Amino acid sequence: MAAPLDRIRVGSAPDSWGVWFPDDPVQVPWERFLDEVAEAGYSWIELGPYGYLPTDPARLTEEIARRDLKVSAGTVFTGLHRGPSVWESTWAHVSQVAALTQAMGAGHLVVIPSFWRDDKTAEILEPPELTHEQWAHLTKGMERLGHEVKEAYGLDIVVHPHADTHLDTEDHVEHFLDSTDSELVNLCLDTGHYAYCGGDSVKLIETYGERIGYLHLKQVDPEILADVVTNEVPFGPAVQRGVMCEPPSGVPELEPVLVAAQKLGVELFAIVEQDMYPCEPDKPLPIAVRTRKFLRSCGA
């Protein structure tokens, strides 16, 4: 048995049950997700796409409490690289999610930059590289968001590098961290997305440890990834091919990531996410049970 990683709080998310959208006929009903995530042995969850779980705080509090669950974070998608013109529409969405996240007693808001390539149709929506001006909009916009979310809702934003967004590779992630104030903006390091985009999670934790505010635990299948990269397959179809795989069969190895995170000396959430949209309804629970057992064997 590995040494206990007592600073790591493990949880899971609707994503691991094939949930990407607030309402979609191929997704499992929210009641089933809550029942099964509790049955699999997790005590922390994320809210997932806003509107998937009940948005009435009293009802959601009751539903999660009777399953002995707690909420670690909410999630928003943003396009702040487009400049001040999108601030009002961004804030309308963010404030809705942040209010529910705060009401659930969570402390974090996971912020994902918008996709440059549509994850369902693969349509190219904008250039994959930002201009100098767009980088400035992105970094200043995220700092403003971090400040406003903290002031209004008491939450810390953690920005999530993600495949097919402008915040993906090691260079982009380091540029983003070097260009933002650690008092306002920190990172949600998703080990799967970072590996998907060629990054080394352990190196990032060891180099920018004070900026790691939250973890998503995920692995990629290196063989499928090689084909995805070679053929420039968009993220949505790549997921359907199984590019995000069940631990411990992929990369990166999760135990060294967790050990590096434990060494930071701070309390950190580590939320399991295995992208599986769409998936058969009976597929997620056995994977979740095995993954929880595997993480316990790592000491988490």
Side-chain angles (χ1 to χ4, degrees):
M1 185 71 182
L5 302 172
D6 56 1
R7 295 183 179 275
I8 308 294
R9 300 178 193 170
V10 171
S12 192
D15 187 47
S16 293
W17 268 256
V19 175
W20 275 12
F21 303 100
D23 186 31
D24 189 308
V26 306
Q27 295 176 170
V28 297
W30 63 267
E31 297 93 336
R32 180 169 179 177
F33 159 68
L34 290 179
D35 288 342
E36 291 188 353
V37 75
E39 186 185 335
Y42 295 98
S43 51
W44 293 95
I45 60 163
E46 289 184 4
L47 295 175
Y50 183 78
Y52 174 65
L53 293 176
T55 55
D56 171 48
R59 180 161 187 218
L60 185 54
T61 299
E62 185 185 324
E63 292 286 355
I64 65 171
R66 65 187 181 85
R67 295 170 174 89
D68 288 327
L69 296 169
K70 298 185 286 286
V71 174
S72 61
T75 303
V76 294
F77 285 85
T78 57
L80 293 171
H81 67 286
R82 296 184 189 121
S85 64
V86 301
W87 176 262
E88 282 187 26
S89 60
T90 302
W91 184 250
H93 169 57
V94 167
S95 55
Q96 207 176 28
V97 179
L100 182 60
T101 305
Q102 179 192 39
M104 291 302 102
H108 295 88
L109 191 66
V110 177
V111 180
I112 302 176
S114 55
F115 286 65
W116 55 261
R117 176 163 58 185
D118 189 282
D119 60 340
K120 263 193 166 176
T121 66
E123 178 193 354
I124 303 289
L125 305 172
E126 24 183 342
E129 286 289 334
L130 295 178
T131 64
H132 183 72
E133 183 183 36
Q134 286 173 320
W135 266 112
H137 287 323
L138 177 65
T139 54
K140 294 295 160 221
M142 285 296 187
E143 288 181 334
R144 181 181 179 187
L145 193 68
H147 175 75
E148 299 285 343
V149 166
K150 190 74 170 173
E151 287 287 306
Y153 300 102
L155 305 174
D156 292 320
I157 71 165
V158 281
V159 180
H160 181 324
H162 195 292
D164 286 4
T165 75
H166 296 107
L167 197 57
D168 49 5
T169 61
E170 184 177 77
D171 284 350
H172 286 164
V173 170
E174 291 187 354
H175 178 57
F176 178 78
L177 290 174
D178 291 343
S179 308
T180 48
D181 182 348
S182 61
E183 294 291 311
L184 301 171
V185 178
N186 284 308
L187 213 62
C188 168
L189 169 58
D190 183 304
T191 60
H193 279 280
Y194 202 50
Y196 185 105
C197 300
D200 179 333
S201 289
V202 171
K203 179 184 166 195
L204 189 69
I205 293 168
E206 289 176 347
T207 311
Y208 285 90
E210 75 287 353
R211 305 298 300 275
I212 307 297
Y214 199 92
L215 293 172
H216 279 170
L217 300 180
K218 192 180 290 181
Q219 286 190 324
V220 292
D221 180 312
E223 287 184 15
I224 297 175
L225 180 63
D227 182 61
V228 161
V229 171
T230 301
N231 294 301
E232 297 183 2
V233 178
F235 182 65
V239 166
Q240 291 182 27
R241 292 186 187 191
V243 72
M244 298 297 184
C245 62
E246 179 182 342
S249 60
V251 297
E253 275 190 76
L254 292 180
E255 189 167 354
V257 172
L258 291 166
V259 168
Q262 168 80 9
K263 285 179 184 168
L264 296 176
V266 294
E267 299 276 324
L268 273 181
F269 283 105
I271 304 299
V272 175
E273 279 197 329
Q274 184 182 341
D275 291 303
M276 294 198 289
Y277 177 86
C279 73
E280 293 299 319
D282 293 336
K283 188 178 173 188
L285 177 59
I287 292 175
V289 170
R290 290 191 297 265
T291 301
R292 187 69 197 93
K293 186 179 177 186
F294 164 68
L295 291 172
R296 283 200 181 95
S297 77
C298 296

